[in-house]
Amino acid sequence: MFAERRPAVTPTDGAQVLKALDAQAALLPYALGVFAVSLPLFVWVGSFAGNPLWMTASFAIFAINWGVFYAAVSWMRDEPSQDLARRARVQVLCGVLWALAVMQISAFAHNAGPARETLLLLATAGAVLCAFFAAPYLPGLLIIAPLAAAGPLLAQFSSADSRHAGELTFGATALAMTLALILNRMFRRQHDLAISHEQLVVERLRVLEEAERTARSKSDIVATLSHEIRNGLTGVTHVLAAAAGRGGRAAPSREQLNAALDAAQDLIAVLNATLDSETAESGRLQVDARPFDPVRLVQDLALLDKPHAAAKGLELSVHVDPLLRERAKGAAIADALRTRQIVSNLLGNAVKYTVRGRVEVRLELRDDRIAIEVADTGPGLSTEELEQAFEPFRRVERTGAGVNGAGLGLSLSRQLARLMGGALEASSAVGVGSCFTLTLPFDLVAKDEQEETHDTAVAETPGAPRTLRVLIAEDDALNAAMLRAVLEQLGHQVVHAANGRRAADLAKIAEFDLLMLDHRMPVMDGPEAASALRQGDGPNRQTPIVAVIDGDAEEAAEFLEAGAEIVLRKPVSVAGVARALADAAALERTDPAKVAA
């Protein structure tokens, strides 16, 4: 019946101590007032005592204690009082001073003649007050209350004539101590509830801010994508309409086709950056840290951007630290694909925003780190603009007017750098230029795994790649057309099936060198078709199967269990399809193994 419901959130010890000390500090002014009111009564009773010197000393002790208390109350309003340990010692010491004052009064009353009993009653009242005002803080209560009660009790029991009064004094102080403990328990309960309430309020505000931030992020995504998709698709649509001869338009020129291709590539980049940013924000973006050669990666990217820089009259150069260039061993430990994404974004921004001058890429070793610096002589950014540039979906209006993009490149690059154990920092000056520095972990004895894999593959690959007969199963006409275009661009023959059932039927009557199956299809999906092919007796029972998925790990696992050997994630690219074909060719020379492209 008397059980109490515990608060849902367990308060911390520091918060409980702070609440107790605050409650006791709130009582200190009242304590000063009570002792100030009691002082005239003490003076009147003490005037009947026969020792004026001791009476004067008692007045001095009252004055000293009152001054100390006033200084303590003033000190608690300042910043230094936030040290809980020091503050607790100060408050307990103040209570001990009043307890010693009560003991001094008891000693004074013992030899006060006719005023003895009255002064001892006043000392007992002082002990009760000490217990009451020390009640909020339990350690202080356990020290101050017994110390204050010791004086009147010793004085009463020291004389045989006052033993009865001593018993009354003991009962009064024991009752006061019991009530003070009950009051302390009530204080602690109220403090627990207050702390729990504060923690719940803080948690609610945090959740509310998170919800508002998520809502703003979603709104920014919708606004950005709607603008970029509308502009990009409008241009592509006009060029395709001209190519199809609609509306009596002439066939598009090479410049128009290149513009449409650039718009489509920009659109894909915006979509990829947006999806990566959301995935990173939710904590689901993963990186694969492996040794790779950062020098070769940067040099490859610089070669790709040199034509764009030359078209604008910019000088693009790469400077490698001699200590790094001359090393026979050593590799960066990070995700090579994500590192390429970061450096490509930094280089692209430098070339995009620099009107005249040069762009420099510098690589150097810094202890166990490699630093990749991309410096330009562009318009430069102020401190506020630089902070804004790293915020998602924020673009610097002064430099970004008329430039395509979602405003996600730098924020996503910084997130990726942190995920790989590195950092992305920047410095800039208006009218001078900017310098962005990517630092990544570097192992002085590691070797580039990609180079070893490439050398091994070259050594094992006999002759030039042959033309393959490829069966693709894809229900989406646009995806099928894209995959067919890539395969034919690579020089292979393609047969298309609209669903898994049709693909399985074709595989029973014709022989193919490779099967590429989409995951989600009507009639029969990709895993079912792969399982049917592996369990059947047709000519393609052992033919390599490439699973074309949207990127879900569960889809890949389901496909691999059904019999697929290679996983290709959408959206497909020429490089990705070529890698899948190379993995399929490797399966013909080695034992079948599960491979992810």
Side-chain angles (χ1 to χ4, degrees), residues 6 8 55 66 77 113 115 128 307 313 395 415 422 424 438 447 459 467:
R6 300 183 66 83
M55 184 69 182
W66 201 94
R77 296 191 181 100
V128 171
R395 301 176 63 185
Q415 287 177 309
L424 178 61
L438 171 65
K447 291 185 178 180
T467 300

Side-chain angles (χ1 to χ4, degrees), residues 13-94:
D13 293 339
Q16 178 64 256
V17 171
L18 179 60
K19 289 291 183 183
L21 294 178
D22 285 343
Q24 190 176 35
L27 293 176
L28 292 184
Y30 299 100
L32 289 175
V34 169
F35 284 108
V37 171
S38 303
L39 182 60
L41 179 61
F42 172 70
V43 172
W44 178 72
V45 175
S47 64
F48 293 97
N51 193 336
L53 183 60
W54 203 333
M55 184 69 182
T56 303
S58 298
F59 293 157
I61 290 175
F62 259 90
I64 292 172
N65 284 359
W66 201 94
V68 170
F69 251 57
Y70 183 82
V73 172
S74 301
W75 175 79
M76 289 176 193
R77 296 191 181 100
D78 300 332
E79 287 296 328
S81 67
Q82 299 307 313
D83 185 344
L84 292 183
R86 181 191 302 175
R87 180 176 172 185
R89 289 194 295 268
V90 170
Q91 294 190 206
V92 172
L93 180 61
C94 290

Side-chain angles (χ1 to χ4, degrees), residues 257-430:
L257 290 174
N258 287 332
L261 180 60
D262 291 341
Q265 291 174 342
D266 290 341
L267 180 58
I268 293 174
V270 168
L271 291 173
N272 289 337
T274 304
L275 294 176
D276 284 345
S277 178
E278 283 300 293
T279 304
E281 191 69 24
S282 63
R284 294 182 288 108
L285 187 62
Q286 298 181 349
V287 294
D288 184 17
R290 294 179 180 273
F292 70 92
D293 184 4
V295 176
R296 186 170 63 182
L297 183 146
V298 170
Q299 289 175 340
D300 291 345
L301 290 175
L303 286 176
L304 293 176
D305 279 306
K306 270 195 174 181
H308 302 286
K312 297 182 65 175
L314 303 176
E315 177 187 352
L316 176 58
S317 58
V318 178
H319 302 280
V320 182
D321 185 353
L323 295 177
L324 184 62
R325 187 187 298 274
E326 296 170 1
R327 294 190 63 88
K329 294 183 179 180
I333 309 299
D335 190 316
L337 180 62
R338 295 302 184 182
T339 304
R340 177 181 292 271
Q341 184 177 351
I342 296 173
V343 178
S344 176
N345 178 66
L346 298 179
L347 268 174
N349 284 347
V351 174
K352 182 190 303 182
Y353 293 107
T354 302
V355 178
R356 63 179 64 87
R358 64 185 184 277
V359 176
E360 293 183 359
V361 185
R362 297 185 289 267
L363 293 92
E364 63 179 12
L365 285 177
R366 298 177 181 176
D367 296 329
D368 60 345
R369 298 263 170 174
I370 183 170
I372 304 174
E373 294 184 348
V374 179
D376 62 63
T377 57
L381 301 172
S382 64
T383 303
E384 295 76 11
E385 290 174 336
L386 195 59
E387 294 178 356
Q388 181 180 342
F390 278 100
E391 296 179 9
F393 299 103
R394 294 288 301 276
R395 301 176 63 185
V396 180
E397 295 182 0
R398 181 175 64 86
T399 61
V403 179
N404 294 329
L408 284 171
L410 290 179
S411 63
L412 177 59
S413 296
R414 174 168 283 182
Q415 287 177 309
L416 292 174
R418 290 173 178 171
L419 284 175
M420 294 187 293
L424 178 61
E425 305 297 336
S427 60
S428 186
V430 177

Side-chain angles (χ1 to χ4, degrees), residues 152-347:
L153 288 174
L154 291 175
Q156 293 284 15
F157 283 105
S158 63
S159 174
D161 297 336
S162 61
R163 286 189 175 274
H164 179 67
E167 293 174 355
L168 293 177
T169 299
F170 177 78
T173 54
L175 178 61
M177 184 67 178
T178 303
L179 293 176
L181 289 172
I182 294 174
L183 182 60
N184 176 267
R185 182 68 186 91
M186 294 176 64
F187 270 119
R188 293 175 61 189
R189 174 61 178 167
Q190 293 300 319
H191 295 162
D192 287 344
L193 293 175
I195 295 170
S196 300
H197 175 71
E198 292 173 358
Q199 291 177 342
L200 291 174
V201 169
V202 171
E203 179 66 18
R204 181 177 179 181
L205 290 176
R206 187 191 66 79
V207 173
L208 182 60
E209 290 176 357
E210 181 71 16
E212 291 178 350
R213 185 187 60 78
T214 302
R216 289 194 301 269
S217 176
K218 300 298 182 184
S219 177
D220 291 337
I221 289 175
V222 172
T224 301
L225 290 184
S226 63
H227 177 267
E228 297 295 334
I229 290 175
R230 182 173 61 250
N231 290 345
L233 288 182
T234 299
V236 174
T237 301
H238 286 315
V239 174
L240 292 178
R246 296 183 180 178
R249 300 176 183 176
S253 63
R254 180 179 295 274
E255 289 76 11
Q256 290 174 319
L257 290 174
N258 287 332
L261 180 60
D262 291 341
Q265 291 174 342
D266 290 341
L267 180 58
I268 293 174
V270 168
L271 291 173
N272 289 337
T274 304
L275 294 176
D276 284 345
S277 178
E278 283 300 293
T279 304
E281 191 69 24
S282 63
R284 294 182 288 108
L285 187 62
Q286 298 181 349
V287 294
D288 184 17
R290 294 179 180 273
F292 70 92
D293 184 4
V295 176
R296 186 170 63 182
L297 183 146
V298 170
Q299 289 175 340
D300 291 345
L301 290 175
L303 286 176
L304 293 176
D305 279 306
K306 270 195 174 181
H308 302 286
K312 297 182 65 175
L314 303 176
E315 177 187 352
L316 176 58
S317 58
V318 178
H319 302 280
V320 182
D321 185 353
L323 295 177
L324 184 62
R325 187 187 298 274
E326 296 170 1
R327 294 190 63 88
K329 294 183 179 180
I333 309 299
D335 190 316
L337 180 62
R338 295 302 184 182
T339 304
R340 177 181 292 271
Q341 184 177 351
I342 296 173
V343 178
S344 176
N345 178 66
L346 298 179
L347 268 174

